[in-house]
Amino acid sequence: MSGGVQGYDPRTGEPVGEAVPETSDVVVDELARAGAAAFPAWSALPAAERASVLDAVADALDASSDALVSLADAETALGVPRLTTELKRTTNQLRLFGEVLREGSYVEATLDSANPDIVPPRPVLRRMLRPLGTVGVFAASNFPFAFSVAGGDTASALASGCPVIVKAHPSHPGTSRETARIVASVVPAGVFGIVHGQEAGVALVKHPAIKAVGFTGSTGGGRALYDLANARPDPIPFYGELGSVNPTVVLPDAAAARPEGFAAEFVGSLTLGVGQFCTNPGLLFAPTSLVPALADAVAAAAGGPMLNERMRDSYRSGTDDLAASGLADLVAEGTAPTEGWSVEPRLFHVPVAAFAENLEKLTEEHFGPAAVVVTYTDPAELEPVLSRLPGTLTGTVHAAESEHEHAGRVAEALRPVVGRLIFNGWPTGVAVAWGMHHGGPWPSTTNPLHTSVGATSIRRWVAPVTYQSWPDALLPAELREGNPLGIPRRVDGVLGVH
Amino acid sequence: MSGGVQGYDPRTGEPVGEAVPETSDVVVDELARAGAAAFPAWSALPAAERASVLDAVADALDASSDALVSLADAETALGVPRLTTELKRTTNQLRLFGEVLREGSYVEATLDSANPDIVPPRPVLRRMLRPLGTVGVFAASNFPFAFSVAGGDTASALASGCPVIVKAHPSHPGTSRETARIVASVVPAGVFGIVHGQEAGVALVKHPAIKAVGFTGSTGGGRALYDLANARPDPIPFYGELGSVNPTVVLPDAAAARPEGFAAEFVGSLTLGVGQFCTNPGLLFAPTSLVPALADAVAAAAGGPMLNERMRDSYRSGTDDLAASGLADLVAEGTAPTEGWSVEPRLFHVPVAAFAENLEKLTEEHFGPAAVVVTYTDPAELEPVLSRLPGTLTGTVHAAESEHEHAGRVAEALRPVVGRLIFNGWPTGVAVAWGMHHGGPWPSTTNPLHTSVGATSIRRWVAPVTYQSWPDALLPAELREGNPLGIPRRVDGVLGVH
């Protein structure tokens, strides 16, 4: 029998607090049934009232900020400043979904009048998006707030009208339990639950009352759960954000303009949070002349403790294997504290021709502060290689004023494999906004149509229903004559507030 | 070695025309590569120009209507009037997507201004939907035009900017080949291809250049291909429309008002096209008093030839097994011609309590003109049963003026398991419109978020990309300052033509 899920201090490797008991299958079943029982009332609540509940969750979390941040810092070693900001980001995210609900267009209300004269004839149609049912959310290791218990998946699913059951990440069980306690104290009974332990996660994905799953984590773990969701007698949507190498291309003039400045910014993005970001820039395409500056910057950079022992071991063995493979040269290594689960930043180098020959191996993600710099002499060598990259959350281009046209061609080569294209910036730092897309083709996510950040992430949890020839009094308010909620709607094909 | 794909006349069981050769894996590969090569130019074509190409395809098909309908009637026995209407529906569908492209909001252009003061800070973001790449489309047996070579999946994917390769249905190989010839004569080279034979279909789903698949057909066949798409090293979206029982509930007053008229309409919907519709009303919940009228109407109804021998055999054996199982009583059987692949309409009866006990078995779809009538004495018995039904494309309620409130409760019970709710009508006949949703939870489709009919079916083939801090001149026209295309966009959260 397991002793439960134990949190550890990555700075020392010592236990933090008491172990949180693993959730039994019986309790998983109870929570899933409670979600199903709570679904009709939660989904029928007017959107503006659900928005108020989300605001209240945000307020409650903000009110406990000091305690939550302190708990999370002990379990993750991510540091108080970063965690304070991350919690604020998390509560701002909850409030953004409140705005989305009040604005109302997320339901895509669509009204078609009848037309008996076309082929086929059209009856009166009223379409809108409605929530799927209870959602399972797998929390991430690397964001104990923003992609965890009350993070984006939970916020968007609750906003949509779906109850949520979170599978806590074992790297921060205490933080997860405390966050869950706060969320559960605000939302109606049954609308929110939390489970701990790997078996409970499996039971959640297989439970008939779970109608969709969100996941943020490794490609291996995500694929296993994705396969499980698809193997159900009734497969359910599984939205996984998995691995991403986040290519960055620096064109010659941009690199020549300020090699040291560029290298410093690159290494800043690479080592932020000990490289534990899904948008970590792990693959850099640069002129050969830039390598010395990059190597110097990495050598001067400090690493730090990773979130858990397994991730530290995986980073070490993955980058050791790469160095031993001879496929790329280890050209620089930074420093790290000797205690706890610390790792050093590492930089590898390979010329683009050799990269093209071993592309699959050299685009494996090494979660942590490691990057491969792929050097070119002529940037025309890049485009055929870029279009062969595996799916990735972001692609970045650095270009001088003189190189804009070339940057456009690079972007077109990258576009089919990326979710977000960044110009003269860095992929770390994901804004929470209407226009954000945090997704991309496999393996960066399991479904290229969806985002786990931003206003449109709510769409993962809703499906259309069309009411045909339905009496107005029986329709949801969003679809009634006269637009009582005053929301944007499409009426006979035309968008507007009507 | 196979002799190719042979069409047959369902009225006689005799061959029609010559067999169409099965497509080799080499040719599948060539077509997929040609699609990938054509993708950049086709996807970069301004939407209004793609709209003109769709219009030209529609015009070319309309110009060949007589020949196509005659070919299809010989291979399907669906009759000239129905097939003439179906081709018109198909070309109208192509033209609807032209309208969707010109209106422009389908790309969901979203513009966010920068805000450095929020947490996390927001850079300038520009988001829109862009096409996924080459799409595989599996044509249906029962709609040789509207869900086949130039049907909804093809039209929506071409509209989105994706090249399309169709796997023809073996029930109408000649019609498929001729339709494909016409489509290919209009669209740019590489943008459209067709393959024949089961192995070619498998090769298509597994091909690395195929980025998504659409399918209309049986639950068994669809599940096999869905599993294949998910088992790829890089899984791709698979949109299958599979089986659907389409429950219809008639409340007591509605049934009592005009039993014979209701029964006649029900049987008309049940036997339309020999019951070969995905929206065929295969499950009726009715007061016990309605059974005699229903049985009389079915007994008086004529069947006809099904599309192929396998479907005929499957209908016969499935309904024979049901009759032999003792789970429901065979209460009426209609007539059918003795030649070819004809079948008789069949009506089964079971009281609601017995239905609830054997719900899984009694909700198996028997594709063809068969229905199970589930009788109740008190309509309050229905709601717990309705919410347990398998996912289905449609749910219908018949209610008298006095029963509207009750109809609302029935609809709420049905809503989580259906895609379209119909009031006092019939599920057959699917309008092609902005507000149509032709989808539903598993097993009616593989993904409850999507429709295979209507304006929003285009969304299956597009994924978001966000441009961050991107120079205006390098952006797609949809996202540029000043809105040069004049399309609806979301600017800082507000929808409008701006």
Side-chain angles (χ1 to χ4, degrees), chain B residues 24-52:
Chain B
S24 68
D25 283 3
V26 171
V27 173
V28 173
D29 182 58
E30 283 170 7
L31 290 169
R33 287 169 186 271
F39 175 59
W42 181 241
S43 62
L45 208 62
E49 292 183 35
R50 281 204 309 280
S52 300

Side-chain angles (χ1 to χ4, degrees), chain B residues 28 31-32 35-36 132-140 147-149 151-158 160 162-168 190-195 200-216 225-226 229 232 236-241 460-461:
Chain B
V28 173
L31 290 169
L132 289 173
T134 306
V135 164
V137 168
F138 283 71
F147 289 80
S148 190
V149 176
D153 285 355
T154 298
S156 55
L158 289 177
S160 75
C162 293
V164 171
I165 301 173
V166 174
K167 153 69 172 63
V191 167
F192 177 84
I194 187 166
V195 302
V202 169
L204 197 61
V205 174
K206 293 167 87 167
H207 199 287
I210 298 297
K211 299 302 183 192
V213 171
F215 171 92
T216 310
L225 292 169
Y226 172 79
R232 285 168 55 125
I236 53 173
F238 182 93
Y239 306 105
E241 188 208 313
R460 295 172 296 168
W461 321 117

Side-chain angles (χ1 to χ4, degrees), chain A residues 304-317:
Chain A
M306 293 196 70
L307 287 156
N308 61 49
E309 196 168 14
R310 192 185 49 72
M311 283 163 65
R312 190 269 312 265
D313 292 347
S314 175
Y315 175 81
R316 284 260 171 88
S317 65

Side-chain angles (χ1 to χ4, degrees), chain A residues 105 112 420-421 435 468 490, chain B residues 105 112 420-421 435 468 490:
Chain A
S105 66
D112 287 336
R420 177 164 53 111
L421 282 162
Q468 177 173 323
R490 187 184 297 278
Chain B
S105 66
D112 287 335
R420 176 164 53 110
L421 282 162
Q468 177 174 323
R490 187 184 296 279

